Amino acid sequence: MALALVATVSLTACDDDPPGPQDAAAALAAALQDGDLSDVALAAGTTPAQAAEQRTAAFDAVLDALGDDALRVEVESAEPAEDDDASAVVELAWTWVTGRTEDWTYTTTARMTRDDEDVWATAWDRTILVPDLTEGEDLAVVRRSAERADVLGADDEVLVEARPVLRIGIDKTRITPERTPAAARALADALEIDADAYAERVAAAGEKAFVEAIVVRTGDRSYDVEKLTALDGVLASPGELPLAPTREFARPVLGTVGPATAEVIEKSEGAIAAGDLTGLSGLQRQFDEQLRGVAGLTIEAVDQETSATRELFEIAPVAGEPLRLTLDLDLQQTAEDVLRDVVPASAVVAIRPSTGAVLAAASGAGGEGMSTATLGQYAPGSTFKVVSALALLRSGMSPESDVRCEPSVVVDGRRFDNFPDYPADALGQIPLRTAFANSCNTAFIGQRDAAPQDAVVDAAGSLGLLPQAALGYASFLGAVPSDSDGTDHAATMIGQGRVLASPLGMATVAASVAAGRTVLPQLVVDDDAQARDREQATPGTPQPTDDAGPVRPLVDLTQQEAAQLRELMRGVVTDGGAAFLQDVPGEPVAAKTGTAQFGPEDDLRNHVWMIAIQGDLAVAVFVDEGEYGSTTAGPLLAEFLAAAR
């Protein structure tokens, strides 16, 4: 009985112990985290509303910069004093999630006392929020943009780097409000931009704002900067922008860089802020995260009276990583120069067959900013006869096999003709090499039964026309329908009907012939997605088609097949429609011309092509509208090859 009595007394004594500070400390931490201190007991001298107001003033800038969910406050320890169980010291662990490599963490101390009603009250002090934070200080966040990395080409030559520019616009501090609308319209008219839209932007901007109208390269002779700045209220402010060597240089592929739009900022989830430069199109946009790096962050305590600052936390900006491309600076510029005076959409693509490196991918101005070189989808015409010839070779034919070339042929009621100037001495029973050299449509269509549609699809894949190849950059190679028959299959044999290819795709065909294997064009160096595609471009790998048909395995291109195709293409230069290429200096050129009709019957027009190989160089030239491949695209090809030596 004595033992039981002792136990009862001990239990009763424990039940009567006053509460510890742990629950009150947890409530304080939660309130500091979410900002609602209305239920927190505070010692005399400060109300919960006053404490909440101080928290808001101190943290507003940080929460705006990092987001409302950035703050975490936890109780690190909460123990009564050894000599006074009515007082306690609470250690609070603060974590601000910065979204960068390091979070801002620190510990503050709160002191609590227990009153006669066993309520723990906190003695409020601003140092509970941040160590050493004085009554006159609040926090500020300074964001430091990272240095944007360059875009590099072959041999790490710089393609895109920070270059001097002039930002031309209306400076509202230089003009009275009454004159501003007219000044904005005058500048817009001089620049040939939308006057109404620009005038609205100027009107909506602050009274001391500079409203940019256009950015021009320093020294750009397209703009008379002196004349523009003579206009009322106009200022040309110097700055820098990541730019290529010229305005036209690979612009549709490389894309552009400019101030981040509201949409980009919103989608970035805090990674991009107003005033940041960001990729707006092309590879600059696709690889923007890599190029722009990670912005730095400094959190300061700012004295509201003196503006004196103390640095509390800093993360240095991390510069972007360069984007490495295979483009050759000189060859790309050569390609741009070749297309300078071409009015319709046009392209020149050059590939190094031994590596698959894309050395040039130029798109003419007629494409209106589209990357005709890498994304254009056009009927390839007779350049596709390289594919058809491979299918025929695989059926057992050789370059010496006889074929019949007639002036015209009728398939299921549809008439197919040779091109109007087809040489009469290449009609009749002729070798395949002669039909190929002179581009006899009727001979290839006449052999369509030896090359079923599946065989043509296989041959196209062997030469790199893979419709769903993901190369790691915006691209289209080509597509050959697998369900064609009748007139559609006949049209396929001569690269028309539903057959599509890009200049990049047809350059890949030429490169595959030169290399003796299926080439995948590489533009972005060491891109993971492209590396995976390279691994998949092996014999037996499923080859996607452009429709819902069965997936076909990729058929290997053999060295013997490639040698026969090179022989056929060389014949186009020595005995066919590309004799003008015999005069191109350097190694012998092998080529194929191409013309593809499009449009209504009463207004037929021609896509014109040429592809060629010379040594370790494969080239495709395309013009959206022209006469023939040899007469329109041919001179451009000859000019490029001569300059590329």
Side-chain angles (χ1 to χ4, degrees):
M1 291 293 296
L3 289 175
L5 180 59
V6 171
T8 301
V9 171
S10 298
L11 181 59
T12 302
C14 288
D15 288 342
D16 291 339
D17 283 349
Q22 290 80 11
D23 290 344
L28 175 64
L32 289 170
Q33 179 172 307
D34 64 28
D36 182 5
L37 280 77
S38 58
D39 293 332
V40 173
L42 296 179
T46 306
T47 66
Q50 290 171 330
E53 184 179 349
Q54 290 184 27
R55 176 198 178 276
T56 298
F59 289 165
D60 253 6
V62 185
L63 290 170
D64 281 348
L66 302 183
D68 291 338
D69 297 329
L71 178 59
R72 304 283 184 272
V73 185
E74 297 177 348
V75 178
E76 190 169 276
S77 65
E79 299 295 337
E82 291 184 3
D83 56 352
D84 182 2
D85 64 1
S87 64
V89 175
V90 177
E91 300 292 335
L92 299 171
W94 296 70
T95 300
W96 291 89
V97 179
T98 65
R100 291 163 174 77
T101 55
E102 182 183 351
D103 293 334
W104 182 29
T105 61
Y106 55 84
T107 302
T108 63
T109 301
R111 300 187 181 279
M112 291 183 169
T113 56
R114 189 183 71 244
D115 63 17
D116 294 340
E117 297 180 0
D118 291 338
V119 175
W120 287 92
T122 301
W124 182 257
D125 188 282
R126 284 171 64 87
T127 58
I128 292 175
L129 302 174
V130 178
D132 303 324
L133 190 67
T134 68
E135 289 298 325
E137 290 181 325
D138 292 325
L139 303 185
V141 177
V142 179
R143 189 176 184 280
R144 306 187 190 281
S145 297
E147 180 181 354
R148 190 174 183 88
D150 296 338
V151 179
L152 307 177
D155 300 322
D156 278 355
E157 285 190 286
V158 176
L159 303 183
V160 177
E161 64 180 340
R163 301 179 194 270
V165 297
L166 292 172
R167 304 178 187 277
I168 299 175
I170 295 294
D171 181 355
K172 297 179 75 170
T173 66
R174 300 162 65 96
I175 189 171
T176 63
E178 296 79 18
R179 302 202 315 270
T180 301
R185 290 182 174 278
L187 176 59
D189 289 341
L191 295 172
E192 297 182 355
I193 63 175
D194 188 323
D196 289 339
Y198 182 62
E200 287 178 10
R201 284 202 293 123
V202 173
E207 61 181 15
K208 296 183 178 181
F210 170 75
V211 186
E212 182 181 292
I214 195 171
V215 178
V216 302
R217 294 166 182 263
T218 300
D220 187 343
R221 296 182 179 179
S222 303
Y223 298 92
D224 188 339
V225 176
E226 186 175 348
K227 184 176 180 180
L228 290 171
T229 53
L231 295 174
D232 197 16
V234 175
L235 174 67
S237 176
E240 286 189 337
L241 266 183
L243 296 172
T246 68
R247 180 178 177 81
E248 298 82 13
F249 187 95
R251 185 182 180 92
V253 172
L254 295 174
T256 59
V257 178
T261 64
E263 180 184 5
V264 169
I265 293 169
E266 182 178 356
K267 288 183 177 179
S268 75
E269 298 182 348
I272 302 172
D276 283 357
L277 291 178
T278 186
L280 301 177
S281 61
L283 293 174
Q284 289 280 5
R285 180 171 182 173
Q286 180 182 347
F287 292 92
D288 184 62
E289 184 176 353
Q290 171 184 330
L291 288 163
R292 74 169 181 263
V294 181
L297 185 73
T298 301
I299 299 176
E300 301 172 337
V302 181
D303 189 295
Q304 299 308 304
E305 290 188 6
T306 67
S307 298
T309 62
R310 289 189 298 117
E311 184 179 297
L312 303 178
F313 175 75
E314 180 185 23
I315 297 177
V318 179
E321 289 289 332
L323 175 63
R324 287 181 163 79
L325 306 179
T326 59
L327 292 179
D328 182 279
L329 180 64
D330 293 334
L331 284 182
Q332 179 69 31
Q333 188 58 61
T334 296
E336 303 284 356
D337 293 341
V338 166
L339 298 177
R340 190 172 306 283
D341 297 325
V342 179
V343 175
S346 57
V348 174
V349 177
I351 295 175
R352 179 175 289 121
S354 60
T355 63
V358 178
L359 304 177
S363 299
E368 298 181 346
M370 173 186 168
S371 181
T372 306
T374 60
L375 293 173
Q377 299 187 23
Y378 305 93
S382 291
T383 57
F384 191 76
K385 286 174 182 167
V386 178
V387 174
S388 302
L390 176 58
L392 293 175
L393 293 174
R394 287 175 172 174
S395 76
M397 295 179 67
S398 74
E400 304 302 329
S401 296
D402 284 340
V403 295
R404 189 78 188 170
C405 181
E406 300 290 354
S408 64
V409 63
V410 177
V411 178
D412 294 344
R414 178 181 171 185
R415 175 174 163 170
F416 293 87
D417 298 318
N418 293 322
F419 67 91
D421 295 328
Y422 187 86
D425 60 358
L427 291 170
Q429 199 80 357
I430 58 174
L432 177 61
R433 67 167 65 254
T434 301
F436 188 94
N438 293 280
S439 206
C440 179
N441 289 340
T442 62
F444 275 82
I445 292 172
Q447 294 297 317
R448 64 191 181 280
D449 290 342
Q453 193 71 14
D454 284 349
V456 179
V457 171
D458 289 344
S462 299
L463 292 169
L465 292 183
L466 301 168
Q468 296 175 359
L471 303 177
Y473 54 94
S475 58
F476 170 81
L477 294 176
V480 182
S482 62
D483 60 347
S484 294
D485 56 17
T487 58
D488 198 30
H489 176 48
T492 294
M493 294 295 291
I494 58 173
Q496 300 201 52
R498 290 187 288 149
V499 178
L500 294 173
S502 68
L504 175 68
M506 293 315 298
T508 300
V509 168
S512 297
V513 172
R517 59 176 175 80
T518 305
V519 169
L520 283 178
Q522 180 190 29
L523 176 62
V524 179
V525 177
D526 294 332
D527 179 73
D528 291 340
Q530 182 171 329
R532 287 193 297 273
D533 275 351
R534 285 182 170 279
E535 293 173 2
Q536 292 171 1
T538 55
T541 302
Q543 172 190 335
T545 60
D546 69 326
D547 51 40
V551 175
R552 302 184 60 79
L554 181 64
V555 180
D556 190 21
L557 177 68
T558 68
Q559 287 289 343
Q560 180 182 1
E561 292 167 344
Q564 289 178 311
L565 292 174
R566 288 194 293 271
E567 179 184 340
L568 290 174
M569 291 178 67
R570 178 58 181 165
V572 176
V573 177
T574 58
D575 304 308
F580 58 90
L581 293 176
Q582 294 185 50
D583 297 330
V584 172
E587 297 182 60
V589 179
K592 184 68 190 82
T593 58
T595 303
Q597 292 183 324
F598 71 98
E601 288 290 337
D602 59 350
D603 187 26
L604 286 174
R605 303 180 186 185
N606 294 333
H607 298 314
V608 294
W609 297 79
M610 278 207 73
I611 61 174
I613 53 179
Q614 184 182 33
D616 198 17
L617 186 67
V619 184
V621 176
F622 167 78
V623 180
D624 186 28
E625 290 187 33
E627 186 182 28
Y628 301 125
S630 59
T631 57
T632 301
L636 302 176
L637 173 65
E639 181 182 351
F640 179 81
L641 291 176
R645 292 187 64 229

